[in-house]
Amino acid sequence: MKALIKKRRNELKEGLREEFSQLGNRLGREAVLVSLALEADPSSEVYRNSIKKKGESLGVRVKLMEGNREDLRRLNRDPGIDGIIIHCRRENFLEYSSLISPEKDVEGITPLNLGRLVRGEDGPRPATPLAVMEILKVLNFPLEGKMAVIVGRSIIVGKPLIFLLLAENATVATAHSRTKPLERLTSQADLLVVAAGRPHLIKPSMVKEGAVVVDVGINVVDGKITGDVDPQVKEKALLTPVPGGVGTFTPLMLFSNLALLLRRKLEGKTSHNSD
Ligand code: NDP
């Protein structure tokens, strides 16, 4: 499976490189993405630098900045900035994400863009759920009529994923920390997506024979990256790897959203109308 994931990653990268080159010609400059740290968080530095590197390999200029909500408002108004990613503490996420211009929202997290997702209208989508959908394409897993169970209901992963799976005609159930017993739900899933942030939460006994299990979790245990699913699950289901699974696609999805926003901008469309 890792080889298929790599192949798809390379195809996506190639497509995005080509697209940003064409968009750059139409814009008369490189696309520009700002990664704005609203609060100091040394743990996000590695992530921010990796986004910068990835952007530059695709022909996108990524500026790493520190600032406050006034700076964010200024970036929203600046015609030379095409996309904005914010970094802040979890408890401030809802407040700050509401301040991003929907036209520059490459993470698909503003109230307007999340609303568009619920309404089935086009727009940028949160990157990790998009990455899950990409893995399902790699696996050639037809969703129509399937029972999908998502473990985790965060605003950036579990909740938006519900609507992406519903749009593909899956039947969707969501579990969370108060779901008891968890295995009653997970064992019914044809597709189980786990985004709980709990290392090896899902054991083989909790999974249906022959299911597809997408492990979104990224946890560091004894210095090693570990998923939310016990690797023994591989004995009875098709399990995506960690690392080298969903995380392979997540940063690329940010740039795919940026390309979509730029196309909309060049066509004179705003997020406020869909024609
Ligand atoms: P959050 O902590 O925001 O959400 C975790 C969710 O899991 C919550 O809904 C929580 O329930 C639920 N949960 C926690 N413990 C249990 C449990 N024992 N049983 C059932 N449900 C449980 O995490 P995120 O959504 O931000 O991230 C989830 C995981 O995905 C993390 O490991 C993160 O590192 C990883 N991640 C990976 C990415 C990738 O590209 N691969 C990108 C983004 C995140 P409740 O709501 O009740 O608290």
Side-chain angles (χ1 to χ4, degrees), residues 90 128 151-154 156-158 175-178 182 195-198 201 216-219 228 246-247 250:
R90 194 165 271 254
T128 310
V151 181
R153 57 174 165 179
S154 73
I156 57 161
V157 188
H176 44 77
S177 66
R178 315 285 173 90
L182 187 57
R198 299 279 180 271
L201 170 72
V216 181
I218 298 181
N219 313 286
D228 286 353
V246 174
T250 306

